């Protein structure tokens, strides 16, 4: 039995989960939001387990920094007998967004690893500093336990050069490590492995397209167990249309805004990271809200939905052409798992390629399932992602805990 605390540290939030990797059960969970603001919120929950009902503590207070936030989480967890020590946690796993050219596999955190992650801050200024803060705070408040960093880019280090190379001056690209890295890798790997299990096929014999559609969204093409393309690039801005990010656009647009329209690089960063995608098109970053507005006939919302579907089709078709033969298409994450209409629309033009959805399974089922008909040439599935479990398992593996 191995128990792992998984930490996902954002710039103003902290998510924690304690998991038992042997039985794949969540034992405790915590979320702190609005760190650094005048009033933040905190919830700590000991999970419902057979023989012991769950219990929750909440707090509304100022959490000036991540140290204060984690300190309070640990205090309240202690009151619920859910402190990592109470629950026999053996390791701590940290989600790190960018592994850059240096980190492919999960690694135990050492001062050298911390320094390596710090060096990557230039490539991922919106994510890595916050991830590193989480690692440092956790190492300070939970000393004596091994900490492991798991990189979102890791699964995509196998991309062939043709897929990861930007067609720009090679000297410039190589000087600054400019290439496509891909993100959400932990989810794409977890979901694609699970897809092979569900289909009873060897992982390394199945060609797959995985669509991770949440606030952030990305697609991947996996050929016989190896990632051969993915939609995110140097940063998580490239690819599909997302909650607040545009995905693919002409880089000339950015030059135009800066050189000819007087926008600063900072303004453009805000435009592309926070004011684009569904938010920019329809003022609704949340997919549930967008769908409600589509149903009300709101023109902006309808256009946003159409742009999302158009982009998805472009990627699915492109990846099909790269893979040649496709055995499975899998939808995951908040939107992918919950929005039957989007799944149907994304695949609706592929009837002549042999893709046939089962409307009943697509619309009325829930959780992990096949949603194509038995006659469909390609099996289409919904497979809920579980990045925390994947990170916990990675800790197990790196540290040899479960042996
Ligand atoms: P992330 O982990 O990237 O923050 P999630 O995978 O949690 O995102 O997905 C969040 C998105 O999923 C939001 O746009 C949310 O509206 C959407 N979503 C979640 N549940 C549903 C649902 N039942 N119906 C429609 N959309 C949903």
């Amino acid at each position: 039995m191995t128990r792992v605390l998984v930490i996902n540290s954002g710039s103003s939030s902290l998510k924690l989960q304690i998991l038992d990797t042997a039985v794949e059960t969540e034992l405790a969970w915590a979320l702190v939001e609005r760190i650094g603001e005048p009033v933040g919120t905190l919830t700590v929950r000991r999970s419902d387990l057979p023989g012991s009902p769950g219990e929750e503590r909440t707090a509304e207070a100022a959490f000036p920094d991540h140290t204060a936030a984690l300190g309070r989480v640990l205090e309240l967890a202690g009151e619920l007998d859910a402190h990592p020590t109470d629950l026999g946690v053996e390791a701590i796993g940290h989600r790190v967004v960018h592994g850059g050219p240096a980190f492919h596999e999960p690694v135990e955190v050492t001062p050298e690893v911390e320094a390596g992650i710090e060096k990557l801050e230039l490539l991922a200024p919106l994510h890595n500093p916050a991830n590193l803060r989480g690692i440092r705070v956790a190492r300070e408040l939970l000393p004596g336990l091994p900490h492991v960093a798991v990189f979102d880019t890791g699964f995509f280090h196998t991309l062939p050069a043709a897929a990861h190379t930007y067609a720009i001056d090679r000297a410039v690209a190589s000087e600054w490590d400019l290439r496509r890295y891909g993100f959400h890798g932990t989810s794409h790997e977890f979901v694609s492995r699970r897809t092979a299990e569900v289909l009873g096929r060897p992982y390394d014999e199945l060609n797959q397209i995985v669509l991770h559609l949440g606030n952030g969204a990305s697609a991947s093409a996996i050929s016989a167990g190896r990632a051969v393309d993915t939609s995110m690039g140097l940063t998580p801005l490239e690819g599909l249309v997302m909650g607040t990010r545009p995905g693919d656009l002409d880089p000339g647009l950015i030059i135009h805004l800066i050189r000819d329209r007087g926008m600063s690089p900072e303004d453009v960063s805000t435009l592309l990271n926070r004011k684009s995608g569904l938010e920019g098109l329809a003022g609704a970053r949340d997919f549930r809200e967008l769908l409600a507005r589509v149903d009300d006939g709101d023109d902006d919302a309808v256009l946003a939905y159409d742009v999302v579907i158009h982009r998805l089709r472009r990627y699915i078709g492109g990846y099909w052409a790269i893979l040649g033969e496709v055995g499975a298409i899998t939808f995951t994450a908040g939107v992918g798992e919950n929005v039957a209409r989007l799944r149907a629309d994304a695949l609706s033009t592929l009837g002549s390629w042999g893709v046939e959805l089962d409307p009943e399974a697509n619309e009325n089922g829930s959780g992990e399932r096949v949603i194509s008909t038995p006659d469909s040439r390609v099996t289409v599935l919904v497979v809920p992602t579980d990045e925390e479990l994947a990170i916990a398992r990675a800790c197990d593996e790196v540290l040899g805990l479960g042996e």
Side-chain angles (χ1 to χ4, degrees):
M1 182 166 76
T2 308
R3 293 180 165 187
V4 177
L5 166 63
V6 176
I7 299 185
N8 187 347
S9 174
S11 56
S12 65
S13 69
L14 205 50
K15 278 187 223 163
L16 300 97
Q17 200 177 8
I18 297 178
L19 292 149
D20 188 315
T21 58
V23 285
E24 302 185 357
T25 306
E26 175 196 275
L27 303 167
W29 174 92
L31 174 67
V32 192
E33 289 181 298
R34 293 196 287 283
I35 296 169
E37 290 185 28
V39 184
T41 56
L42 178 154
T43 307
V44 182
R45 189 175 71 208
R46 201 189 62 224
S47 308
D48 247 335
L49 293 174
S52 93
E55 210 181 326
E56 195 171 284
R57 292 269 194 286
T58 57
E60 258 193 40
F63 305 107
D65 54 28
H66 287 63
T67 310
L70 182 60
R72 191 73 182 121
V73 165
L74 294 175
E75 243 171 62
L76 292 179
E79 290 177 16
L80 298 172
D81 299 324
H83 189 282
T85 320
D86 300 328
L87 294 176
V89 162
E90 290 176 65
I92 301 175
H94 297 268
R95 178 183 184 208
V96 178
V97 167
H98 216 309
F103 299 108
H104 303 157
E105 305 292 336
V107 284
E108 185 168 356
V109 179
T110 60
E112 294 73 42
V113 168
E114 274 192 18
I117 296 172
E118 192 164 18
K119 261 208 196 138
L120 295 170
E121 290 187 353
L122 261 183
L123 284 180
L126 298 178
H127 300 283
N128 274 35
N131 302 154
L132 187 57
R133 204 167 304 141
I135 291 176
R136 289 192 163 138
V137 167
R139 289 185 84 200
E140 181 192 329
L141 298 187
L142 296 162
L145 286 172
H147 291 250
V148 172
V150 181
F151 300 91
D152 250 28
T153 47
F155 180 57
F156 296 117
H157 85 275
T158 61
L159 292 187
H164 73 62
T165 303
Y166 284 119
I168 60 171
D169 184 325
R170 291 194 72 182
V172 173
S174 125
E175 182 167 8
W176 307 113
D177 297 320
L178 307 180
R179 50 161 282 182
R180 307 187 60 257
Y181 290 95
F183 298 88
H184 291 147
T186 308
S187 175
H188 284 273
E189 179 170 17
F190 177 89
V191 167
S192 57
R193 285 189 183 278
R194 184 67 202 144
T195 294
E197 275 172 27
V198 171
L199 298 184
R201 301 268 308 271
Y203 186 56
D204 58 5
E205 287 178 16
L206 185 65
N207 285 0
Q208 312 193 35
I209 295 173
V210 176
L211 302 162
H212 174 112
L213 312 175
N215 281 316
S218 60
S220 66
I222 299 164
S223 174
R226 175 190 177 193
V228 293
D229 207 350
T230 191
S231 58
M232 286 176 165
L234 175 74
T235 75
L237 277 176
E238 195 177 338
L240 300 173
V241 179
M242 313 183 211
T244 62
R245 288 173 255 161
D248 297 334
L249 43 75
D250 178 355
L253 180 145
I254 297 167
I255 298 167
H256 175 71
L257 288 176
I258 293 176
R259 191 186 56 200
D260 307 322
R261 299 291 175 192
M263 276 180 97
S264 69
E266 231 9 80
D267 291 341
V268 175
S269 173
T270 304
L271 173 76
L272 299 181
N273 282 294
R274 304 212 185 141
K275 296 186 180 171
S276 297
L278 307 181
E279 174 70 24
L281 290 171
R285 71 180 65 186
D286 187 286
F287 218 85
R288 271 169 292 213
E289 191 189 336
L290 183 84
L291 289 177
R293 301 245 314 267
V294 168
D295 289 339
D296 286 345
D298 177 309
D299 288 342
D300 291 344
V302 170
L303 174 64
Y305 183 79
D306 289 347
V307 176
V308 166
I309 296 296
H310 183 87
R311 189 78 53 84
L312 270 171
R313 287 177 178 164
R314 186 195 285 170
Y315 270 93
I316 294 166
Y319 285 176
W320 198 308
I322 286 167
L323 291 169
E325 191 67 39
V326 178
I329 299 176
T330 305
F331 289 86
T332 193
V335 176
E337 291 165 28
N338 292 299
V339 187
R341 177 193 327 190
L342 169 135
R343 294 190 295 261
D345 288 337
L347 301 176
S348 66
T349 51
L350 296 182
S352 63
W353 295 12
V355 178
E356 201 182 302
L357 275 194
D358 172 349
E360 168 65 23
N362 184 39
E363 285 157 33
N364 300 328
S366 71
E368 181 179 283
R369 65 199 188 276
V370 169
I371 57 169
S372 50
T373 64
D375 290 338
S376 182
R377 229 184 96 202
V378 172
T379 309
V380 184
L381 303 93
V382 173
V383 172
T385 191
D386 193 339
E387 287 161 289
E388 285 75 18
L389 178 59
I391 290 173
R393 283 182 185 160
C395 289
D396 244 0
E397 243 178 79
V398 170
L399 302 169
L401 294 172
E403 287 163 7

